[in-house]
């Protein structure tokens, strides 16, 4: 059974803090890694899709890195804002047309 | 461009009944996938359809089924409902359903089984 683990489960930070969380996944037969942001009462929204070892993606204050050999990805948020409060989900895929296997998510709360 | 539309938003059913949920993907998207979210669980993959064919299936009992129409709209059916089927059901669409394509999610259908 393929298992995707995210840590921490939840995180409480102050506005302006930078933060990061981890997504760990089985590296064997890996194909792609997705990150999504899910705000309360909204739909999950795609942040990044990465496929290559060493990939780095950036969108505003949010960036992500990928290590396919050791099976982990980091998501970084620089200068957290209250509007960054959401659950951040990662999901791994193991072949071209394969299903996404989601982690349980990291719930981020940013206090003003 | 309209997003992914799921109907209904909320549904209350009793044990033993059956239910059908609907998902209209973004125009031009041919892949639709379905996920179940229950408290304490991550999003669990149900199945994925592309051009009216089921390409992938998750580890759910046969009571869970789906289909896709020629206009790419998809329906999901759950028969003989159980209390444990209470969950948020999300559908997502993408152009080809390729592993490196971002998914676009609907708002979900919240199903309560009493």
């Amino acid at each position: 059974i393929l298992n995707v683990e995210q840590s921490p489960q939840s995180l409480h930070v102050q506005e302006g803090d930078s933060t990061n969380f981890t997504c760990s996944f089985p590296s064997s037969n890996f194909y792609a890694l997705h990150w999504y942001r899910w705000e309360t009462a909204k739909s999950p929204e795609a942040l990044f899709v990465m496929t290559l070892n060493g990939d780095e993606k950036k969108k505003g204050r949010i960036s992500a890195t990928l290590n396919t050999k050791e099976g982990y990805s980091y998501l970084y948020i620089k200068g957290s804002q209250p509007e960054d409060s959401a659950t951040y989900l990662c999901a791994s895929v193991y072949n071209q047309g394969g299903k996404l296997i989601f982690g349980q998510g990291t719930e981020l709360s940013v206090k003003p | 461009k309209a997003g992914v539309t799921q109907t209904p938003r909320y549904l209350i059913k009793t044990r033993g009944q059956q239910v059908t949920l609907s998902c209209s993907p973004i125009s031009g998207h041919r892949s639709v996938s379905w996920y179940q979210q229950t408290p304490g669980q991550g999003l669990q993959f149900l199945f994925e359809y592309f051009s009216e064919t089921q390409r992938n299936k998750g580890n759910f009992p046969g009571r869970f089924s789906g289909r896709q129409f020629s206009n790419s709209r998809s329906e999901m059916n759950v028969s003989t409902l159980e209390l444990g089927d209470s969950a948020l059901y999300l559908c997502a669409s993408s152009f080809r359903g390729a592993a490196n394509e971002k998914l676009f999610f609907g708002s979900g259908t919240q199903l309560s089984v009493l």
Side-chain angles (χ1 to χ4, degrees), chain A residues 31-34 36 38 41-49 51 59 89 93 95-105, chain B residues 9 35 37 40-45 48 55-59 88 90 96-108:
Chain A
Y31 197 91
L33 193 284
H34 293 228
Y36 292 85
W38 194 358
K42 293 188 177 180
S43 312
E45 175 197 357
L47 290 171
F48 309 112
V49 179
T51 57
K59 183 178 180 179
L89 299 169
V93 192
N95 55 62
Q96 167 60 274
K99 59 187 182 183
L100 268 67
I101 301 171
F102 280 88
Q104 300 242 20
Chain B
R9 285 285 280 124
Y35 297 84
Q37 166 91 15
Q41 298 277 335
L43 287 172
Q44 303 286 316
F45 174 80
E48 186 242 352
R55 287 200 302 195
N56 265 302
K57 191 175 190 309
N59 298 324
L88 176 68
L90 288 168
R96 294 176 295 122
N100 59 354
E101 285 184 323
K102 293 178 181 178
L103 297 184
F104 293 82
F105 284 86
S107 299

Side-chain angles (χ1 to χ4, degrees), chain A residues 18-88:
Chain A
S18 291
T19 186
N20 66 84
F21 3 105
T22 305
C23 173
S24 302
F25 53 88
S27 56
S28 181
N29 299 318
F30 168 86
Y31 197 91
L33 193 284
H34 293 228
W35 280 100
Y36 292 85
R37 174 170 58 198
W38 194 358
E39 294 178 64
T40 303
K42 293 188 177 180
S43 312
E45 175 197 357
L47 290 171
F48 309 112
V49 179
M50 296 180 286
T51 57
L52 300 176
N53 186 46
D55 251 355
E56 290 188 30
K57 299 268 186 176
K58 190 174 180 185
K59 183 178 180 179
R61 294 177 292 98
I62 304 177
S63 60
T65 61
L66 178 66
N67 183 321
T68 62
K69 294 183 179 178
E70 295 181 41
Y72 64 84
S73 175
Y74 294 137
L75 189 79
Y76 301 91
I77 302 179
K78 186 177 177 182
S80 302
Q81 299 296 309
E83 57 266 32
D84 295 329
S85 297
T87 296
Y88 290 82

Side-chain angles (χ1 to χ4, degrees), chain B:
Chain B
K1 196 172 182 180
V4 178
T5 304
Q6 287 189 248
T7 56
R9 285 285 280 124
Y10 302 94
L11 210 44
I12 299 175
K13 292 285 187 179
T14 55
R15 274 188 307 175
Q17 287 187 310
Q18 77 162 20
V19 67
T20 299
L21 313 181
S22 179
C23 174
S24 293
I26 289 172
S27 178
H29 284 190
R30 293 164 65 192
S31 169
V32 175
S33 49
W34 289 88
Y35 297 84
Q36 181 196 64
Q37 166 91 15
T38 51
Q41 298 277 335
L43 287 172
Q44 303 286 316
F45 174 80
L46 282 153
F47 25 67
E48 186 242 352
Y49 286 87
F50 179 82
S51 292
E52 302 178 67
T53 301
Q54 186 183 87
R55 287 200 302 195
N56 265 302
K57 191 175 190 309
N59 298 324
F60 280 81
R63 299 184 297 106
F64 291 81
S65 63
R67 58 178 176 168
Q68 187 180 35
F69 302 95
S70 58
N71 62 358
S72 294
R73 189 178 73 85
S74 177
E75 286 183 347
M76 186 190 111
N77 185 274
V78 188
S79 62
T80 321
L81 284 165
E82 300 177 359
L83 295 179
D85 297 332
S86 294
L88 176 68
Y89 291 88
L90 288 168
C91 80
S93 75
S94 66
F95 182 60
R96 294 176 295 122
N100 59 354
E101 285 184 323
K102 293 178 181 178
L103 297 184
F104 293 82
F105 284 86
S107 299
T109 294
Q110 183 68 54
L111 172 65
S112 297
V113 182
L114 307 177

